[in-house]
Amino acid sequence: MQSLTTVCLFLTLAAALIPAGVHLGFRAPRIREKGTPSDYGLAFEEVRIPTVRGRYLFAWLLPAPSSNRTVVAMHGWGGNAELMLPIAAPLQRGGINVLLCDARNHGGSDADTFSSLPRFAEDLGKAIDWLKQHHPQRASRIAVLGHSVGAGAAMFEASRNADISAVISIAGFAHPAEVNERYLRSLHLPRPLVRLVSRYVEWLIGYRFDTIAPLNTVRRIACPILLVHGKDDRVVPVDDARRIVANGQDCAVELLEIDGAGHDSAEKIERHAGALLRFLDEHWT
């Protein structure tokens, strides 16, 4: 009887504390842009893009004259459009329009109740819709590029959006359940509580982790995929990218491993911009 009472007490406490803990512990830090694309010598237009739940996204459109090709780019967790400029700049100079978006709760975009990989993907989808409506001449060929969580979102959106003709995933993880569990275990939580929190997160975001995991979405993507990953990434090991490639062996998926690059090594990835441009040129013809 005493053990049953203990279990009931544990479940009651968990039911009360898990929602508050998840919303607090998984809240994305907001870092607002301090510079602009003009710091890179780039012309740009600042725009607001409507997304779901009546919110608006902050975004920069970097136009490439007479180009009908556009890369829609999404940062990672706690990032913003400015952090993607080192990668966006050589793409724009290579003759590609770039639309840099802040996800909800990030940078200059509107706040919302929580952030998640599916909501990053929703925002990408709405950015594509906006581009097609307001700049149809630039939307003949659309690729999505994302970093970390933004990479997972790019792959998830590409698995269900026929407007996307190519995907570039930078430092993307294989499975969100693994990322979630690593974080929770770092807090030294008991295993039963880790499982409860994981189930609550799935309920909150409205998707099972298996459904949105790049390890699985890679098999549902019809367009070519380029995975870019630093060999010295200590946040998401390069083995995650190798596992995605192995699981998508029947798909058009390529892997570019970069020596000396970590999780946020935008400057090292910028040095390989030629490889990104070649990938897009090859698959946009």
Side-chain angles (χ1 to χ4, degrees):
M1 184 66 179
Q2 184 177 2
S3 61
L4 178 60
T5 301
T6 301
V7 170
C8 290
L9 179 61
F10 171 78
L11 292 175
T12 301
L13 288 172
L17 296 177
I18 285 176
V22 166
H23 283 276
L24 181 63
F26 288 87
R27 182 172 56 192
R30 184 187 287 272
I31 302 173
R32 296 187 183 274
E33 286 81 358
K34 296 181 180 178
T36 73
S38 63
D39 298 331
Y40 287 75
L42 302 173
F44 72 99
E45 178 185 353
E46 184 177 310
V47 299
R48 280 171 55 81
I49 298 173
T51 186
V52 299
R53 295 167 55 85
R55 269 63 174 189
Y56 282 80
L57 307 178
F58 173 91
W60 286 323
L61 176 62
L62 314 182
S66 304
S67 176
N68 64 355
R69 307 180 303 166
T70 300
V71 169
V72 182
M74 182 63 74
H75 55 77
W77 195 261
N80 61 33
E82 184 179 6
L83 297 177
M84 301 297 288
L85 280 172
I87 299 170
L91 296 179
Q92 192 270 348
R93 289 172 182 145
I96 298 172
N97 305 293
V98 183
L99 181 60
L100 294 171
C101 307
D102 284 345
R104 278 168 284 169
N105 296 319
H106 289 73
S109 290
D110 287 351
D112 208 340
T113 51
F114 63 86
S115 298
S116 66
L117 186 155
R119 287 195 170 182
F120 271 58
E122 285 177 341
D123 291 341
L124 268 176
K126 291 302 181 181
I128 290 171
D129 291 344
W130 177 89
L131 181 72
K132 291 171 59 183
Q133 179 181 354
H134 294 276
H135 296 274
Q137 75 281 4
R138 293 192 170 111
S140 295
R141 295 288 186 272
I142 297 173
V144 288
L145 179 153
H147 173 256
S148 195
V149 173
M155 292 187 65
F156 182 43
E157 185 62 21
S159 73
R160 61 188 186 181
N161 191 331
D163 291 324
I164 297 171
S165 56
V167 179
I168 299 177
S169 164
I170 299 175
F173 48 75
H175 205 297
E178 298 169 357
V179 178
N180 186 64
E181 289 180 11
R182 280 198 298 267
Y183 170 69
L184 294 174
R185 286 176 184 170
S186 72
L187 303 177
H188 306 291
L189 299 178
R191 189 175 295 272
L193 187 56
V194 169
R195 286 197 294 268
L196 282 173
V197 171
S198 295
R199 297 295 79 76
Y200 174 75
V201 171
E202 287 183 317
W203 173 83
L204 179 68
I205 67 176
Y207 291 90
R208 298 297 299 267
F209 287 143
D210 282 342
T211 302
I212 63 175
L215 193 63
N216 298 324
T217 56
V218 66
R219 289 185 171 271
R220 305 197 302 269
I221 297 174
C223 65
I225 306 163
L226 174 63
L227 305 179
V228 182
H229 216 105
K231 289 185 178 180
D232 290 347
D233 193 329
R234 298 292 180 260
V235 177
V236 179
V238 67
D239 189 57
D240 275 37
R242 295 167 182 165
R243 290 164 56 204
I244 294 171
V245 171
N247 209 41
Q249 57 186 340
D250 298 326
C251 310
V253 55
E254 304 172 27
L255 173 59
L256 171 62
E257 298 184 15
I258 300 180
D259 291 328
H263 192 65
D264 298 308
S265 298
E267 74 289 347
K268 292 186 182 295
I269 296 171
E270 180 187 4
R271 297 173 194 166
H272 292 78
L276 275 60
L277 287 165
R278 283 192 296 273
F279 167 79
L280 293 171
D281 287 340
E282 177 181 348
H283 296 292
W284 266 344
T285 56

